[in-house]
Amino acid sequence: DGGITQSPKYLFRKEGQNVTLSCEQNLNHDAMYWYRQDPGQGLRLIYYSQIVNDFQKGDIAEGYSVSREKKESFPLTVTSAQKNPTAFYLCASSTTRQPQHFGDGTRLSIL
Amino acid sequence: AQTVTQSQPEMSVQEAETVTLSCTYDTSENNYYLFWYKQPPSRQMILVIRQEAYKQQNATENRFSVNFQKAAKSFSLKISDSQLGDTAMYFCASIHAGNMLTFGGGTRLMVKP
């Protein structure tokens, strides 16, 4: 079945450590997105990519980095510069003017 | 910048009754799309219903329907015959230029038995 796979489901980060969240889609969508969700809050856009080898900062990009080397993959790295990384992270993909399809999310916590 | 506003942080409804969730948005465009997403406790984001702005007819999906008032920039979601499984956060969202989604802050709906 087509869909979006995020891994891992749970991730723990030590102080000063970079961690990478995986997002893979087999929907043949051009656009992919990363969102952050804090408890009881809405979604905030971190980064998005409309096409391979191109990506743009969203509203809260500081402390995060991404790459888009393949159409199917859009990994998110949470760097040590992100001082408050504990949150739920959602990846999504879409085609033009169509609703975004979401993965099941990754919950990141600080050790 | 586009904005989407959900003025009801929390709502509750008795099982089998009807509830309406409010959403207003701000745009200067004529061609845009509106959506309602549901986020149950599992945290998945599930598309509930969509509305194209150029269509005057309100969208309906089984027990879910919208009241789209384009002039008032209002897009409310009506859930009929509420079920316990409808308990979730509900997010209103819009797509304007390009593919960018703008989300509202969400409404937490509790369906009571």
Side-chain angles (χ1 to χ4, degrees):
Chain A
D1 287 351
I4 300 176
T5 302
Q6 289 188 242
S7 61
K9 193 173 180 68
Y10 300 95
L11 186 59
F12 298 91
R13 195 191 90 168
K14 297 179 181 179
E15 292 288 341
Q17 184 183 43
N18 293 351
V19 292
T20 297
L21 285 60
S22 171
C23 179
E24 304 278 334
Q25 55 101 356
N26 60 4
L27 299 167
N28 200 34
H29 288 168
D30 287 316
M32 297 187 73
Y33 313 82
W34 274 106
Y35 294 92
R36 170 179 172 142
Q37 187 179 31
D38 292 289
Q41 304 296 314
L43 279 66
R44 293 186 290 169
L45 183 65
I46 304 172
Y47 267 99
Y48 64 98
S49 169
Q50 304 276 32
I51 196 169
V52 175
N53 293 323
D54 186 51
F55 48 83
Q56 306 295 329
K57 292 182 179 179
D59 300 321
I60 54 166
E62 185 174 350
Y64 299 96
S65 66
V66 293
S67 63
R68 186 85 187 279
E69 297 177 1
K70 298 186 299 181
K71 188 175 185 177
E72 301 80 17
S73 179
F74 191 42
L76 173 74
T77 297
V78 184
T79 73
S80 57
Q82 173 50 247
K83 298 306 180 187
N84 184 23
T86 298
F88 186 64
Y89 291 86
L90 281 162
C91 178
S93 70
S94 73
T95 55
T96 303
R97 294 290 190 135
Q98 296 301 310
Q100 293 178 12
H101 295 255
F102 287 83
D104 289 343
T106 294
R107 189 180 303 276
L108 176 62
S109 302
I110 293 286
L111 282 178
Chain B
Q2 313 297 341
T3 58
V4 177
T5 303
Q6 295 178 247
S7 59
Q8 306 150 315
E10 295 186 0
M11 294 192 72
S12 64
V13 62
Q14 290 297 131
E15 194 176 7
E17 293 187 349
T18 296
V19 64
T20 299
L21 281 55
S22 300
C23 173
T24 58
Y25 59 92
D26 183 25
T27 181
S28 57
E29 297 184 27
N30 285 321
N31 187 21
Y32 53 91
Y33 296 74
L34 298 165
F35 309 97
W36 278 96
Y37 281 89
K38 169 186 177 181
Q39 188 178 41
S42 64
R43 307 295 292 270
Q44 290 177 299
M45 289 289 284
I46 302 165
L47 179 67
V48 174
I49 199 164
R50 60 182 293 180
Q51 175 81 43
E52 290 86 351
Y54 63 86
K55 290 185 178 179
Q56 292 186 334
Q57 187 173 4
N58 289 326
T60 299
E61 288 287 343
N62 300 314
R63 298 182 295 108
F64 298 88
S65 62
V66 299
N67 183 6
F68 175 47
Q69 301 290 327
K70 190 171 183 178
K73 295 181 181 176
S74 171
F75 182 60
S76 60
L77 175 69
K78 185 172 81 172
I79 306 174
S80 303
D81 185 25
S82 297
Q83 301 176 358
L84 296 178
D86 295 335
T87 292
M89 282 287 287
Y90 287 83
F91 293 98
C92 180
S94 67
I95 285 181
H96 301 264
N99 296 330
M100 303 310 301
L101 265 181
T102 300
F103 285 93
T107 296
R108 185 178 303 278
L109 177 67
M110 173 71 70
V111 180
K112 299 180 179 179

